Amino acid sequence: MGEKAIDWRGSSYNDLLAFPDDAKRIAGFELGRVQHGEDPRDFKRINDWGAGVIEIRLEDNVNQYRVVYVAKFAEAVYVLHGFLKKRRRRVHLT
């Protein structure tokens, strides 16, 4: 299988550029796997967004980052969004 092109949709390219350097590097590596027909190392299907939408999950010691894409089409990997995931705070009931 050949390498699929990356098609950056909306602000997804700029979203990814805003990641810290290590997160950008790992996101690029994971998208490279997807371009060659492989699954990312850590991912989750997001059926609520539509058929074939997948979220790459990236973490460093402090933050969690996500890259959302669709790769079910033969011509390209469509990157839809990149974002810093907000952590949920636990609420302690007293």
Side-chain angles (χ1 to χ4, degrees), residues 10 13 31 40 61 64 71 73 76 78 84 86 92:
Y13 184 70
L31 286 170
N61 292 331
Q64 298 177 352
F73 302 103
Y78 293 92
L84 169 65
K86 296 187 189 282
H92 296 284

Side-chain angles (χ1 to χ4, degrees), residues 71-87:
K72 67 180 184 174
F73 302 103
E75 66 276 4
V77 175
Y78 293 92
V79 180
L80 307 176
H81 190 34
F83 60 97
L84 169 65
K85 182 173 175 159
K86 296 187 189 282
R87 292 183 182 242

Side-chain angles (χ1 to χ4, degrees), residues 23-39:
K24 279 191 279 200
R25 182 180 52 76
I26 295 168
F29 175 79
E30 295 299 335
L31 286 170
R33 291 176 58 91
V34 174
Q35 284 181 282
H36 289 93
E38 299 176 40
D39 287 332

